[in-house]
Amino acid sequence: VKDNGRNFYEFFEANMNEYASERLMLENNLRRALAKEEFVLFYQPQVDSKTETLIGVEALIRWIRPNSEIVPPGDFIPILEETGLIIPIGEWVLAEACRQHKEWIRKGLPPIPISVNISAIQFQEKGFLPMLSNIIKESGIEPGYLDLELTESVVMRQPEFVIKQLEFIKEMGINLSLDDFGTGFSSLSYLRYFPLDRLKIDQSFVRRLSTDSVNEAIIEAVVALGKSLKIKTIAEGVETKQELDFLRKLECDEIQGYYFSEPLPSDAFIRWFTSR
Ligand code: C2E
Ligand code: CA
Ligand code: CA
Ligand code: CA
């Protein structure tokens, strides 16, 4: 028994070391990735639920490794957040999204509203607002075409600080969306104090919409809430015509999901847009 115990401990320790060194390697690679410009943004269309015309795009980060492997954000955003690397990389995302918006205009496209995900750590960092206004100025983007997506966890942590910060952002003319709505524990009574433009209904409610009447009731309730607070609603993760029809019936304003398009690199997005 004693032997087994020791073996287990040695096994455990060896694995922990392996895990720790893999983590360290990944962290170093992510640090290098920013300098070597290995990050890219993909863009996923958002459309009006009635007319199906484009109303904007969401910028979603990808890491393209030197071996061409595309790493999804779920695999590295948590590490960026733990290490603080989300601050410089989040800044890069904002600047790149604004640059891209202006480049599309130069290429003859109409100005396309662009949504950028902001993580809690980034939002709470002291330099966030100056950084944001700098990027607006330097890129020349009309602030009304920029939308920041924040999750409930950001908004609920320190309501007073957050409300001030959000009001400042609104005064700059930037739009605000509450992401993954319904998955957190936001107090609905607080919602009215946040200057929000849009609620993003989480994918988990859209999935199995046609077979799960509870999800249908939840979406209906969120849309009604949005209407009374004069906030738009957008459903994400829409994959089928059936889901689209349900959401139309429930009077959800906007749609995002594979049914219309996956997130696309800039060139492919331009082709998608011009071929419609
Ligand atoms: P999110 O903000 O909720 O983004 C929506 C995710 O759902 C994206 O995954 C998108 O590709 C995926 N999606 C969209 N439509 C469909 C659909 O019809 N079906 C399915 N199955 N999935 C769909 P992605 O790009 O892997 O991003 C995952 C998460 O990573 C994002 O979730 C967001 O929280 C985070 N993220 C992505 N880019 C950034 C960024 O630049 N900064 C920060 N802080 N977070 C980011
Ligand atoms: Ca988002
Ligand atoms: Ca979301
Ligand atoms: Ca999400």
Side-chain angles (χ1 to χ4, degrees), residues 91-157:
E91 179 173 350
W92 175 83
V93 170
L94 256 170
E96 175 64 9
C98 294
R99 187 200 63 78
Q100 186 64 78
H101 167 90
K102 291 293 281 186
E103 191 186 309
W104 285 333
I105 294 172
R106 267 197 307 279
K107 288 188 167 164
L109 272 68
I112 296 166
I114 193 157
S115 296
V116 175
N117 292 284
I118 305 293
S119 80
I121 294 160
Q122 217 187 336
F123 183 79
Q124 279 150 7
E125 206 254 334
K126 266 211 306 287
F128 182 71
L129 290 181
M131 181 273 286
L132 183 61
S133 77
N134 239 333
I135 286 176
I136 299 279
K137 231 187 315 166
E138 294 198 342
S139 66
I141 189 173
E142 172 69 45
Y145 290 117
L146 180 61
D147 169 69
L148 304 184
E149 296 194 2
L150 303 163
T151 59
E152 281 172 277
S153 62
V154 181
V155 167
M156 288 305 145
R157 225 168 270 174

Side-chain angles (χ1 to χ4, degrees), residues 23-37:
R23 255 299 293 256
L24 202 62
M25 219 154 71
L26 184 55
E27 202 183 308
N28 282 332
N29 284 333
L30 283 165
R31 240 176 255 285
R32 225 169 296 145
L34 182 62
K36 287 165 59 192
E37 300 175 29

Side-chain angles (χ1 to χ4, degrees), residues 153-209:
S153 62
V154 181
V155 167
M156 288 305 145
R157 225 168 270 174
Q158 307 155 269
E160 263 109 77
F161 161 78
V162 169
I163 289 169
K164 276 212 194 88
Q165 181 118 323
L166 293 179
E167 279 170 350
F168 200 87
I169 294 170
K170 280 307 300 171
E171 275 165 30
M172 292 170 69
I174 297 166
N175 297 296
L176 293 166
S177 295
L178 192 53
D179 205 356
D180 301 345
F181 187 69
T183 59
F185 298 94
S186 50
S187 153
L188 292 181
S189 59
Y190 253 125
L191 217 50
R192 69 161 89 186
Y193 300 114
F194 298 114
L196 298 169
D197 299 285
R198 194 161 69 158
L199 296 175
K200 290 198 86 173
I201 302 169
D202 193 68
Q203 325 200 355
S204 55
F205 302 112
V206 174
R207 204 130 305 140
R208 302 190 315 270
L209 188 53

Side-chain angles (χ1 to χ4, degrees), residues 45-49 52-55 253-255 260 272 276:
Q46 303 173 329
V47 305
D48 182 285
S49 67
E52 297 190 8
T53 52
L54 185 82
I55 53 99
D253 299 301
E254 301 167 356
I255 305 289
F260 288 103
W272 180 89
R276 292 178 101 226

Side-chain angles (χ1 to χ4, degrees), residues 204-265:
S204 55
F205 302 112
V206 174
R207 204 130 305 140
R208 302 190 315 270
L209 188 53
S210 53
T211 54
D212 189 337
S213 62
V214 174
N215 279 346
E216 190 178 336
I218 290 172
I219 293 177
E220 208 168 353
V222 174
V223 171
L225 181 69
K227 279 194 165 81
S228 60
L229 294 173
K230 299 194 170 60
I231 300 175
K232 285 212 147 88
T233 45
I234 178 165
E236 58 182 357
V238 178
E239 295 183 354
T240 65
K241 177 79 166 72
Q242 204 178 16
E243 288 163 354
L244 174 65
D245 289 341
F246 262 99
L247 289 156
R248 271 202 189 116
K249 195 189 74 192
L250 299 175
E251 294 187 56
C252 181
D253 299 301
E254 301 167 356
I255 305 289
Q256 179 179 345
Y258 294 173
Y259 179 72
F260 288 103
S261 173
E262 290 183 14
L264 301 168

